[in-house]
């Protein structure tokens, strides 16, 4: 079973730039994190041939999402990295979206489907998951040591992707892609 997402996969060049900034900064992270750097925009549900549960989506739902994004006619846009932070299970970097492009995408997708995710959206890039439990003070002390330099990048493509729900750190598989105008 796979979990579907509206994601912004970052270009290889942008990913390398971000990864090189943070790669070995926090030893508590799993070193084998395989998931490509991305920004989750909208958690759509489990991709199945035919809907059975409230969190399933089928090919007809994908068609509706695709049409909603085409109607949006969104041009390529810029995002920038914000502060490094931590969720309970992972280290991440906030995303700044001054043009509110992510909100426009989310609004368009919400007209054709219900999101299955936490009620508050926090655009971010996950840098890695923690190996074990650590005291928050340890993590935030390490974050404070990381030199944070500004980085902005262009988003030119939106990808609908999935991953195996049983492999939290597994690779993303693209299903559909939308080129931004």
């Amino acid at each position: 079973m796979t979990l579907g997402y509206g994601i912004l996969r970052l270009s290889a060049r942008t990913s390398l730039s971000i990864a090189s900034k943070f790669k070995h900064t926090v030893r508590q992270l799993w070193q084998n994190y395989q998931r490509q750097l991305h920004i989750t925009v909208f958690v759509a549900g489990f991709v199945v041939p035919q809907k059975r549960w409230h969190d399933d989506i089928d090919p007809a739902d994908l068609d509706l999402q695709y049409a909603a994004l085409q109607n949006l006619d969104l041009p390529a846009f810029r995002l920038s990295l914000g502060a490094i932070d931590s969720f309970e299970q992972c280290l991440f970097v906030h995303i700044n979206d001054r043009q509110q492009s992510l909100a426009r995408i989310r609004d368009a997708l919400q007209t054709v489907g219900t999101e299955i995710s936490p009620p508050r959206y926090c655009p971010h890039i996950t840098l890695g998951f923690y190996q074990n439990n650590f005291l928050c003070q340890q993590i935030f002390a390490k974050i404070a040591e990381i030199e944070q330099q500004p980085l902005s990048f262009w988003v030119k493509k939106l990808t609908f992707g999935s991953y195996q729900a049983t492999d939290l750190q597994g690779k993303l598989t693209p299903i559909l892609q939308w080129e931004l105008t």
Side-chain angles (χ1 to χ4, degrees):
M1 191 178 287
T2 56
L3 185 60
Y5 285 93
I7 60 172
L8 298 176
R9 280 187 52 195
L10 305 179
S11 71
R13 184 177 185 183
T14 300
S15 294
L16 283 173
S17 180
I18 293 169
S20 68
K21 289 178 181 295
F22 306 114
K23 188 171 184 178
H24 297 291
T25 55
V26 178
R27 288 182 305 179
Q28 293 88 345
L29 297 177
W30 284 105
Q31 295 303 308
N32 64 342
Y33 184 63
Q34 297 178 35
R35 178 111 1 114
Q36 303 92 322
L37 294 182
H38 67 281
I39 302 165
T40 300
V41 179
F42 189 84
V43 183
F46 292 96
V47 181
V48 295
Q50 186 174 13
K51 284 196 250 187
R52 184 173 169 196
W53 306 104
H54 78 281
D55 56 356
D56 288 343
I57 62 169
D58 61 17
D61 293 322
L62 290 176
D63 289 343
L64 289 172
Q65 290 182 356
Y66 186 80
L69 291 171
Q70 282 185 318
N71 291 338
L72 187 59
D73 196 30
L74 187 69
F77 58 93
R78 289 185 74 74
L79 297 174
S80 63
L81 298 183
I84 299 171
D85 206 342
S86 179
F87 292 131
E88 187 174 316
Q89 299 172 335
C90 65
L91 184 70
F92 71 93
V93 60
H94 286 277
I95 296 299
N96 297 321
D97 178 16
R98 298 195 195 317
Q99 298 170 307
Q100 298 296 305
S101 298
L102 298 177
R104 290 183 59 208
I105 294 168
R106 288 177 53 76
D107 289 347
L109 292 173
Q110 287 171 350
T111 65
V112 296
T114 303
E115 185 172 29
I116 56 160
S117 69
R120 190 176 146 265
Y121 178 64
C122 175
H124 67 279
I125 298 172
T126 299
L127 300 172
F129 287 88
Y130 299 122
Q131 295 179 43
N132 296 301
N133 293 329
F134 297 96
L135 293 175
C136 290
Q137 295 91 337
Q138 290 175 318
I139 299 298
F140 287 111
K142 189 63 180 172
I143 289 171
E145 296 172 8
I146 299 171
E147 182 181 345
Q148 299 184 42
Q149 298 174 355
L151 175 70
S152 64
F153 52 93
W154 282 98
V155 175
K156 299 178 182 178
K157 185 185 301 184
L158 181 65
T159 300
F160 184 90
S162 67
Y163 68 90
Q164 292 293 60
T166 56
D167 187 1
L168 187 60
Q169 300 188 64
K171 292 187 176 184
L172 291 168
T173 302
I175 296 173
L176 295 171
Q177 295 185 333
W178 297 268
E179 296 288 335
L180 301 178
T181 57

